[in-house]
Amino acid sequence: MKIPDNETPGFQFKRIALLGMSGLGKTFISRNLFKNDNWSHYSVDYEIGKLLFRNEHENLFEGFDIDNLTNLSNFLGKPGSSSEGGIPFSEYVLRQRLHRDAEKEATLNACSLIEKSPDLSKIVCDTSGSICELVNPSDKQDKLLTSLSRNFLIICLEAPDSIYEVLIDRFLARPKPMYYEENFLHSLWQTFKIGNTDTEDKINPDDFMIFGFKALIERRKVIYDTIAKNWGIKLNFDILRSLKTAADLMEAVQSEIENKVKIQ
């Protein structure tokens, strides 16, 4: 764990990794950098899909691209009643494991790109919203965070509670599959069944996803705060959304780095 500064390669070469909850704008910012400032955009979610679909699920490649990742959610599915579009919990856990392994590989592949071309600049690694479930930000030897921080400047998106309420409202209107750390998933599943029904095929998949998403938000906010503290910086959601150019972004990054160095 190293405090980022103006000499950090990620800052010097304009290589950033955006981390944060799904829905906070990582891809929005990344696409703007790609379209308006000629930055390279590495989408971890897109790379996860390519890894997952290459063998048994090639049909999911149809319509799948950086701007439409719906089929990745379709692959994960939702546990619960088959009559309501659910899949068995055991199958759901299996798909979660496949996603976990693919996310690790896709994230490390982004780092390999830099290690093979150390002069590569102007690239944004748009991480998956679930990366916080794969790391231990308190472990100085954490493989993913060590590799990311060596090759990119880690930026965690910080948002006010009102924005998280918006995310919940969106999810209530349209629940979608999510990735969970496996022990946490089992705990959620058992708790949900106690409060509803112990019969798996009577569980409404959307009801479980809503229950799980609310728990995920509280859990992930804490983890992302720790990642920013130990491995990178925070940038306010509203500030990021208002930035017009890459130059504006790097100016905001430099200011936040200087602020962090002062208080360490």
Side-chain angles (χ1 to χ4, degrees):
M1 292 183 279
K2 180 181 182 295
I3 301 171
D5 55 41
N6 293 349
E7 301 302 318
T8 301
F11 180 82
Q12 290 290 314
F13 288 92
K14 297 182 174 64
R15 300 192 299 250
I16 63 173
L18 296 178
L19 279 67
M21 284 284 295
S22 296
L24 288 184
K26 298 186 301 295
T27 299
F28 173 83
I29 295 163
S30 300
R31 296 310 280 164
N32 278 347
L33 289 170
F34 171 74
K35 294 173 183 176
N36 302 329
D37 294 280
N38 202 31
W39 280 45
S40 298
H41 174 200
Y42 184 95
S43 168
V44 171
D45 279 331
Y46 180 64
E47 297 299 323
I48 291 171
K50 286 166 61 178
L51 291 168
L52 289 174
F53 304 160
R54 62 187 174 186
N55 295 320
E56 299 178 22
H57 307 280
E58 291 185 358
N59 61 303
L60 293 176
F61 274 120
E62 185 175 350
F64 182 71
D65 60 42
I66 289 178
D67 295 310
N68 182 9
L69 300 168
T70 302
N71 282 352
L72 185 56
S73 292
N74 293 340
F75 169 83
L76 281 173
K78 308 173 187 177
S81 171
S82 57
S83 64
E84 298 183 74
I87 60 176
F89 184 73
S90 57
E91 173 64 20
Y92 185 68
V93 171
L94 175 61
R95 296 186 191 186
Q96 292 272 306
R97 291 172 180 169
L98 292 172
H99 185 285
R100 175 198 64 201
D101 294 345
E103 182 173 348
K104 288 180 179 179
E105 183 175 349
T107 303
L108 291 174
N109 284 347
C111 300
S112 294
L113 286 176
I114 307 301
E115 289 161 1
K116 292 174 182 176
S117 303
D119 293 332
L120 191 64
S121 65
K122 295 183 179 180
I123 179 171
V124 53
C125 178
D126 174 13
T127 66
S128 180
S130 53
I131 188 173
C132 61
E133 304 290 349
L134 309 181
V135 301
N136 177 1
S138 297
D139 179 4
K140 295 180 180 180
Q141 306 301 320
D142 185 89
K143 183 177 181 179
L144 286 181
L145 290 174
T146 296
S147 189
L148 271 177
S149 64
R150 185 170 57 241
N151 294 287
F152 297 91
L153 174 65
I154 292 177
I155 301 174
C156 293
L157 276 61
E158 179 183 41
D161 289 341
S162 59
I163 296 299
Y164 289 105
E165 289 300 322
V166 170
L167 295 184
I168 291 173
D169 288 342
R170 285 182 193 164
F171 201 89
L172 289 172
R174 191 178 179 183
K176 67 175 185 177
M178 300 288 291
Y179 174 81
Y180 301 83
E181 189 278 325
E182 189 166 328
N183 291 328
F184 182 61
L185 172 61
H186 280 281
S187 175
L188 282 176
W189 185 247
Q190 293 305 318
T191 301
F192 185 81
K193 288 201 299 181
I194 291 171
N196 293 271
T197 174
D198 197 44
T199 304
E200 181 175 306
D201 202 48
K202 290 184 179 179
I203 288 176
N204 182 304
D206 284 348
D207 287 348
F208 174 71
M209 298 312 295
I210 290 168
F211 173 79
F213 184 72
K214 290 179 178 179
L216 266 185
I217 280 191
E218 293 307 314
R219 169 186 169 86
R220 290 185 176 181
K221 282 167 65 176
V222 174
I223 301 174
Y224 279 123
D225 281 348
T226 308
I227 292 174
K229 178 183 177 182
N230 293 344
W231 296 91
I233 62 171
K234 286 183 185 179
L235 276 185
N236 182 273
F237 168 86
D238 291 325
I239 291 176
L240 275 171
R241 298 280 291 194
S242 68
L243 300 177
K244 302 298 183 184
T245 66
D248 293 338
L249 170 63
M250 296 313 295
E251 184 177 339
V253 167
Q254 181 172 2
S255 177
E256 185 58 31
I257 287 174
E258 291 171 354
N259 290 337
K260 182 164 186 175
V261 170
K262 287 178 183 177
I263 63 175
Q264 292 295 324

